[in-house]
Amino acid sequence: MPEQRVRQFLMSAPQTATSTEPLSFNVMEGYLPAQFAPDVTADRELYWQVIDRTTGETLPTTAWALKEAPALPMKSRAEKVGAYPEDAASAVVTIHRPEPFHVYTADFLAKQVWDSTQIYNYLTNDWADDPTRLKDRTYDVAYPETWDHVRQSLGRWLEKHPEVDVVRFTTFFYHFTLAFDDNALEKYVDWFGYSAAVSIPALEEFAAEYGYRMTPEDFVDSGHYNTPLRVPTAKFKTWIDFTARRVAAQAAELVKITHDSGREAIMFLGDNWIGTEPYGPYFPSIGLDAVVGSVGSAATCRMISDIPGVKYTEGRFLPYFFPDVFNPEGDPVGEAVTSWTQARRAIVRKPLDRIGYGGYLSLAMQFPAFIDQVEAIAREFRSIHNRSEGELPANARPVVAILNSWGKLRTWQTYMVAHALWYKQIYSYLGVIECLAGLPLDVRFISFEDVTASDGAILDEVDVLINAGARDTAFSGGREWDDTRLQTLIRAFVGSGGGFIGVGGPTARTTNEGTIFALEDVLGLDMEVSWTLSHTRHFEANEEPHFITADLVGSLDTGEDPGDIVATGADVQLLELREGSVKLAVNQYGEGRAVYLAGLPYSAQNARLLYRACLWAANAQDELDAVLITDNPEVEVAWYPSAKHAFVYNNADSTQRAGIKGLDRIFTTNPTRAAIPSDASASSVLQVELPAYGSRWLDLQDPV
Amino acid sequence: MPEQRVRQFLMSAPQTATSTEPLSFNVMEGYLPAQFAPDVTADRELYWQVIDRTTGETLPTTAWALKEAPALPMKSRAEKVGAYPEDAASAVVTIHRPEPFHVYTADFLAKQVWDSTQIYNYLTNDWADDPTRLKDRTYDVAYPETWDHVRQSLGRWLEKHPEVDVVRFTTFFYHFTLAFDDNALEKYVDWFGYSAAVSIPALEEFAAEYGYRMTPEDFVDSGHYNTPLRVPTAKFKTWIDFTARRVAAQAAELVKITHDSGREAIMFLGDNWIGTEPYGPYFPSIGLDAVVGSVGSAATCRMISDIPGVKYTEGRFLPYFFPDVFNPEGDPVGEAVTSWTQARRAIVRKPLDRIGYGGYLSLAMQFPAFIDQVEAIAREFRSIHNRSEGELPANARPVVAILNSWGKLRTWQTYMVAHALWYKQIYSYLGVIECLAGLPLDVRFISFEDVTASDGAILDEVDVLINAGARDTAFSGGREWDDTRLQTLIRAFVGSGGGFIGVGGPTARTTNEGTIFALEDVLGLDMEVSWTLSHTRHFEANEEPHFITADLVGSLDTGEDPGDIVATGADVQLLELREGSVKLAVNQYGEGRAVYLAGLPYSAQNARLLYRACLWAANAQDELDAVLITDNPEVEVAWYPSAKHAFVYNNADSTQRAGIKGLDRIFTTNPTRAAIPSDASASSVLQVELPAYGSRWLDLQDPV
C-alpha cells in the first residue's frame, strides 16, 4: 500500500555546474523532508527529467545517475514536525559530465508521505507536541485496491453511523498544491494547482487515452507549476479535463453510496478539492446535494453561491471560534460584522442558502455579545430570503463577461493564489471581481477559446467584456492574443457596438513585434516598455466631468502600477493621468466603447466606478438608476421588482445618508407610481439614513 | 536635384479595416506636411511595404494601390510653419480587399523636403514670421552630383574666407531621427537614430555589397525604428557599420580639403552627426582635429572628452546667451555655476581641452556678475590643467565595464533618447553613467558580442561588470541573454572572482521558460512577473551595516520601480527591501560577488554608493581610500600622484565640511610621509571646509 501514495511532481533546486566534474545534488534540498519521498523506483525515462535550464535540453537518462538517500535533516524548526514518516527519504542525482556554468534541475516524481492539510495543522497548532497524533498518509484512488478500500470504508462508516443525516466530504481525492520547506515554512501554495494530483496509473491512463504522454516538465513548467496566472497550455488544460472527469466519476460513486444509504452528500470547497471543478462540465454529474465553503469576501461568497448543479450552498463565516480572536483582547463582534458586511453584497445578489460558523462553540458561548450579533446577522440573512420571496434582485441591462484564458471553469476564482489571501500583485485585479460580486449585473466568465470556438457567437449574449490582469498572464491573456482570430473577433464585437473594459495590462503580451496591447486600437492606449520613448507624447488629461467618475469623491485609487500606459489613439480621452501614465481612459471604437483602468482594488467608490464603467461601455448610461441606485457609493440598494421591495444596506463603518434614485423610473410604467414614498423629493429621490453596516427594507408599494 | 533629397523611412498611422471594402488612407496622416513627401516614384517592391500588423504579413504590391496626393493641411499651428516647401506632397494607399478588423500600416520611403534642425528653429523661434528666411532643403551626398557640389562648395568657401582658421562642421550628412507632427509639435526623436540616413543609392550599394537587402521594415521595426533601447538586430548593426564607413570616408574627404587649405577641421557633436560614430572604428579615419559638443551633465561631458582620435575636445556650457535666461528675472550666474559643477566631476577625471559658451555675447555683457562668474569658472578650469600638469588623477584598482548590446560604440551614450533630456523610464539608469563619469574608476563599455566573440577574453581586463537597464532592452540585454555562451561566460567570470553589478532589470528578458533574470543564480534574485506568486517568499532585509551603504545618510533613492524583485538565492543578503521588493542586495557567487540595485538616479549619495559597490564587487573594499576619499559624499577628491596635488570640490549648493581619508596610505610607501599636513588628525584625516560649489587644491608635498 505505501506504493499507492498520491504522487506530486517537484523540481529540485537549480544547480549551477562550475566544471565538467560530476555534479551531485539531493533533489529534496529545500523541501520538507517529512512531506515527500522521491519515487526512485519509477521509470526514470518517464517520470524523471533532468534538464539543462541554460539550453532547455532534457538530458538523456544515461547522462545521470540516481541514488536513494536517507531523508535530509531539517534546517530549523524540526520540533514542529516531529518524527518523519517511516517512508520519508531523499535521492541524489549525479550528472556525469555537466557543461560548466550551465544550470541544471531535476524534475522528479515524489510520493506524498504526509498529508498536506495535516502538515499545516501540525505547524500551526503544535500538533507535534501531542503524542496521540499520528501522521496522516495519502493514498490514491487511482489504484484499484485503494479505491476499493475507500468505498468499503465509506459503506462501513455509514452503517456504523445511522445518526448521521448529512455526510460532508472534506473533500475528495487530491489536495491543492502545497509544499513546505526544510524550515517547516510554506514553500509553495496554489489553491488551484494540479501538481499534487498525479499518479503513475493516471499518467498511464492518460497516455493510453490520448496517445501522448504528460512529461514531468508538463507539470513542473520550468518551476512555475502551471499557476493559474500562467497562460495554460492546451496539454495542461487537457490534463485538467482528464483529471476532473476521473475525479467526478469516482466522487459520484461515493455520493451514490451515501445517497443509497439515505443520507445527503455535501462537499467542502477546499483542501482536497482538486479535480472537482465546481464550474466544470463534470461537476453536476457528481450528484452532490450541496457545497459548503469558507467565505473570505464577496467574490469567494459568489464562488460558492453560483455553483450550478447542487440543491443548496452554504457559507462558513469568519471569525472562526478560535482563541486567536475569542480572547479578552479580541473583537469577535467587530470581525463578525465586517465579515458579514463584505459577504452581504454578494448574498444580496445571489444568496447562499445557509450560513454558518466553525470552531469551538464553547469559546463563542463565553461572548454573549457575539451570540447576539450572530443572531442579528442570521435575522438579516433570513430577511433577504423572506422579503425577496425567492426572487433575485433586478440587474441592469448590460451582461458583463470576464474574458480570460480560464473562462467559466474559474468563475469567481480569477487572480487568486491562495484562498482569499492578499498579494501585492493581484489585489488591484481581484478588486474587479470583488466589485462585480455585489453589483446588479449579470456576470459571466468566458474564455478566449469560447470566443474562437464559437466564432464569436458567444459574444452575442454579452454587452461588455472585461479583460483584467497583469501583462503576460492568463487573466490578461498574454500570448493568447497572438491568435489573429481572437483579435479580430473582439475588435468586431467592440466595433459593432460592444463594450470593452481593460484593467491593468489588458490584452498585453510582450512581443518583439508591434504593440504590447494587442487591442491597442480598441483601447487607444499602449504599454510603454521603454521601446517607444522616442515617440514624443503630447497627451493631456481631460478635465471635463465624465459619467464614469461622477460619483467619485477624492482621488481615484487604481492600486499597484501595471506599468506605464501611454495614449496612442487620436481620440482617446484620458480621465486620469499620473506621472505621465494613464490611470483611467475612455475610447470610442467604431460603434463601441472601450474603458481602461490601471487597476481596481475593491472599495465602495471603485464598485460604483466599475458599475458606471459597465453602463457607459454598454452605451447604457441612461439606465444608471433603472434598477435603483443611491447617490452615495457606500450605500447599495437591491430592487426586487415582483416583491416590490428594496433592500438598502450601508457597507461603511459609519452612519451614512443616501438618496435612492430611480423610483420614478420604476413606477413610470406602473400604475402604482403614486406609491412613491411621500418623503421622496420632487425628483423622486428617497433619503435614507443607515447606521454603520446597517440595512433596511423598503416596501415600495406603500409609503415607508 | 530635388530627387537627391535625403530620404527617411516612415510608418503610416495604423489603420483598422472594418470590412472587406477597399481601405484607403493617407500615409502622411499625423506627419508634418512640410517635412516629408512620400517617394511615390520609388520602386514599391523595394521601398514601400504594406503590412498586416495583425498577422505580421507583408502584402504583395498587387494587393494595394498608391496614388500621389497634395500635401495635407495642418491640424493646428500652421502659422508656425508658413508656406510648405514646393515639393511637399502626400500619398494615399488603398488596400483592395483588407481582412476585416486587421490592422494595417504602410512603411514608406519619404523625401525630407525640409531640414529637421531648421524646422526646430522655425517652431521654437517663430522664424515663419521672418520673410527673409528660406526653408533649407536636404541633399544627400550619396548622389555623385550632390557630393561633387558639396566638395566644390567647401573648396570655394575656403578660398573666399582666408580669415577662417578653424572650420567647424555642423555637422556632416545625416540628421538624427526627428519628425514633427501635423500640429507642428515634435512627433519622434532619437538622437542616435539612423532612419533619416537612407537613400536609394546607399540602399542599393548595401544590397550589392552584402548580397541581401535592407527592407523598409528593417528600419521601421514595427514602429520602434530601432531605438537604442531595442535589442539591435544583426542586420541593423550591419547597416550602422555600413553607413558609418560611408560617412567616415566622405567626411574624411572634406576634412582633407580643409586641411589642404591649411585650416583646422572640427566637428560639432549633434544634429547631422549620424554615421560619424565618434567611438566607432571609422571615426579616427575622418582625421578631425577636434570635436565640440554641448555639455548637459557629467556623462555628456565624458562623451566628448573621451573621444579617441582627435587632438582636442571642447565643451559648450550652459546657459546659452539667450533671452530666456538673460533677463532681469533670470539667474544666469546660478545656472552657470550649477552647469559647471555638474560637468566639473567629469572634467576632473578626463578634462575637456577647451570650454566655451554660445549665444549672443551682447546679452551676456549686460550681466557683469555673469562675466565675473565665467572668469572664475575659466580660472578653475585652467587650474585643473595646470595643477595636474597634464596628469589624470589616479583611479582605484577595479576596472569597470558597462555591459550591454552596444558596447564601445555608445560610450557614455547609454539610455539616452534625446540629448540629455529627462525621461521617467531612463533617469534611474542614466544615473549609473552620470555617477561613473566623475568617479576615480577606469570605465569601459563592452558589448555582449565583445564577450562572445573574444570567448570571454575581453573580461580578463575587467574587474566589475555593470549591466543596467530596464527588462527587455538593449541595456539590460533582453533576448541577447538567450545566448547560452554569453550566460556561461559571464557566470564563469563572476564564479572565478569577478564582480557583477545589476541595476533595474539586469539580464532580464521575458521568456516563457525559466527565470526572468538570465543570471538569476548570479544575482540570487529574480523579477516577479506574476508567474511565481505561488512560491511563498520568506526573505527579510538584512539589518546589519554593509560596506556598500556605509556612507548613506537617510534613505536610499533607487528611482523608478523596475518591477517586483524577489530573493531566490539561499544566501543573498538584502540590504534594502521596500513593499516586498528588493532594492539593494549582495550575493556571493563562487569566488565572485554580485550587487543588485533597483535603480540609481544621480546624486552625490548614489555616486558614493556605486563607488563602494564597485569596490565591494571587485573584492577591493580595503582600497576604499587608496586614491583618497572624503567622509562626505557631497565632496569629492581627485589625487594626482605624480604632481602630488589633490583637488577637493564641493558638489553641493551649501557649505560642506569633509575629512579626506587615505593620506596615510598614499605616503606609506613614500618617503614624504612626513608631509602629511599638520592639521590632519591622528588617523590622517584632513578636514576641509568648502563653500557651496567651492573647490580647493591641496599640495600634499607640504602642509597646507
mmCIF file of all heavy atoms in Angstrom, chain A residues 20 65 79 210 247 406 496 536 609 667 670:
data_model
loop_
_atom_site.group_PDB
_atom_site.id
_atom_site.type_symbol
_atom_site.label_atom_id
_atom_site.label_comp_id
_atom_site.label_asym_id
_atom_site.label_seq_id
_atom_site.Cartn_x
_atom_site.Cartn_y
_atom_site.Cartn_z
ATOM 1 N N THR A 20 33.362 20.506 -15.471
ATOM 2 C CA THR A 20 32.807 19.302 -16.091
ATOM 3 C C THR A 20 32.832 18.120 -15.129
ATOM 4 O O THR A 20 32.458 17.008 -15.493
ATOM 5 C CB THR A 20 33.590 18.923 -17.369
ATOM 6 O OG1 THR A 20 34.964 18.775 -17.018
ATOM 7 C CG2 THR A 20 33.440 19.986 -18.447
ATOM 8 N N ALA A 65 22.896 9.690 -12.994
ATOM 9 C CA ALA A 65 22.582 8.545 -12.132
ATOM 10 C C ALA A 65 21.687 9.003 -10.991
ATOM 11 O O ALA A 65 21.651 10.184 -10.653
ATOM 12 C CB ALA A 65 23.868 7.961 -11.569
ATOM 13 N N GLU A 79 11.363 20.563 15.490
ATOM 14 C CA GLU A 79 10.438 20.189 16.571
ATOM 15 C C GLU A 79 8.979 20.393 16.153
ATOM 16 O O GLU A 79 8.084 19.778 16.729
ATOM 17 C CB GLU A 79 10.757 20.977 17.852
ATOM 18 C CG GLU A 79 10.385 22.449 17.843
ATOM 19 C CD GLU A 79 11.316 23.334 17.003
ATOM 20 O OE1 GLU A 79 12.292 22.808 16.417
ATOM 21 O OE2 GLU A 79 11.066 24.553 16.934
ATOM 22 N N TYR A 210 -5.034 9.395 -24.778
ATOM 23 C CA TYR A 210 -4.750 10.495 -25.710
ATOM 24 C C TYR A 210 -3.670 10.170 -26.717
ATOM 25 O O TYR A 210 -3.481 10.898 -27.680
ATOM 26 C CB TYR A 210 -4.391 11.763 -24.944
ATOM 27 C CG TYR A 210 -5.579 12.331 -24.193
ATOM 28 C CD1 TYR A 210 -5.827 11.993 -22.866
ATOM 29 C CD2 TYR A 210 -6.483 13.178 -24.837
ATOM 30 C CE1 TYR A 210 -6.928 12.491 -22.188
ATOM 31 C CE2 TYR A 210 -7.585 13.680 -24.170
ATOM 32 C CZ TYR A 210 -7.805 13.335 -22.842
ATOM 33 O OH TYR A 210 -8.895 13.826 -22.196
ATOM 34 N N VAL A 247 -12.079 12.359 -11.466
ATOM 35 C CA VAL A 247 -12.490 12.683 -10.098
ATOM 36 C C VAL A 247 -14.019 12.663 -9.987
ATOM 37 O O VAL A 247 -14.580 12.116 -9.029
ATOM 38 C CB VAL A 247 -11.919 14.056 -9.658
ATOM 39 C CG1 VAL A 247 -12.620 14.579 -8.414
ATOM 40 C CG2 VAL A 247 -10.409 13.941 -9.418
ATOM 41 N N TRP A 406 -9.200 31.180 -18.716
ATOM 42 C CA TRP A 406 -9.867 30.126 -17.970
ATOM 43 C C TRP A 406 -11.373 30.089 -18.151
ATOM 44 O O TRP A 406 -11.992 29.033 -18.028
ATOM 45 C CB TRP A 406 -9.531 30.251 -16.487
ATOM 46 C CG TRP A 406 -8.093 30.000 -16.182
ATOM 47 C CD1 TRP A 406 -7.152 30.919 -15.845
ATOM 48 C CD2 TRP A 406 -7.417 28.735 -16.203
ATOM 49 N NE1 TRP A 406 -5.937 30.314 -15.648
ATOM 50 C CE2 TRP A 406 -6.071 28.972 -15.857
ATOM 51 C CE3 TRP A 406 -7.824 27.426 -16.475
ATOM 52 C CZ2 TRP A 406 -5.125 27.945 -15.786
ATOM 53 C CZ3 TRP A 406 -6.885 26.414 -16.394
ATOM 54 C CH2 TRP A 406 -5.552 26.670 -16.062
ATOM 55 N N SER A 496 -18.699 46.885 -33.511
ATOM 56 C CA SER A 496 -20.118 46.892 -33.852
ATOM 57 C C SER A 496 -20.993 47.240 -32.655
ATOM 58 O O SER A 496 -22.192 46.970 -32.675
ATOM 59 C CB SER A 496 -20.506 45.529 -34.426
ATOM 60 O OG SER A 496 -20.245 44.517 -33.473
ATOM 61 N N THR A 536 7.347 61.163 -29.146
ATOM 62 C CA THR A 536 7.072 62.277 -28.232
ATOM 63 C C THR A 536 5.581 62.332 -27.965
ATOM 64 O O THR A 536 4.782 62.404 -28.902
ATOM 65 C CB THR A 536 7.559 63.592 -28.867
ATOM 66 O OG1 THR A 536 8.847 63.358 -29.434
ATOM 67 C CG2 THR A 536 7.654 64.682 -27.824
ATOM 68 N N LEU A 609 -17.648 52.990 -9.479
ATOM 69 C CA LEU A 609 -16.956 53.374 -10.704
ATOM 70 C C LEU A 609 -17.059 52.272 -11.754
ATOM 71 O O LEU A 609 -17.332 52.530 -12.930
ATOM 72 C CB LEU A 609 -15.482 53.649 -10.388
ATOM 73 C CG LEU A 609 -14.667 54.274 -11.500
ATOM 74 C CD1 LEU A 609 -14.659 55.793 -11.356
ATOM 75 C CD2 LEU A 609 -13.228 53.769 -11.483
ATOM 76 N N PHE A 667 -41.627 53.216 -11.439
ATOM 77 C CA PHE A 667 -43.090 53.316 -11.406
ATOM 78 C C PHE A 667 -43.672 53.999 -12.636
ATOM 79 O O PHE A 667 -44.865 54.091 -12.769
ATOM 80 C CB PHE A 667 -43.525 54.039 -10.133
ATOM 81 C CG PHE A 667 -43.215 53.222 -8.905
ATOM 82 C CD1 PHE A 667 -42.156 53.549 -8.083
ATOM 83 C CD2 PHE A 667 -43.967 52.098 -8.609
ATOM 84 C CE1 PHE A 667 -41.854 52.791 -6.968
ATOM 85 C CE2 PHE A 667 -43.672 51.328 -7.494
ATOM 86 C CZ PHE A 667 -42.612 51.668 -6.669
ATOM 87 N N ASN A 670 -45.930 51.889 -14.440
ATOM 88 C CA ASN A 670 -46.607 51.078 -13.433
ATOM 89 C C ASN A 670 -47.678 51.931 -12.773
ATOM 90 O O ASN A 670 -47.423 53.068 -12.368
ATOM 91 C CB ASN A 670 -45.539 50.651 -12.410
ATOM 92 C CG ASN A 670 -46.061 49.616 -11.441
ATOM 93 O OD1 ASN A 670 -47.128 49.811 -10.841
ATOM 94 N ND2 ASN A 670 -45.343 48.531 -11.300
#
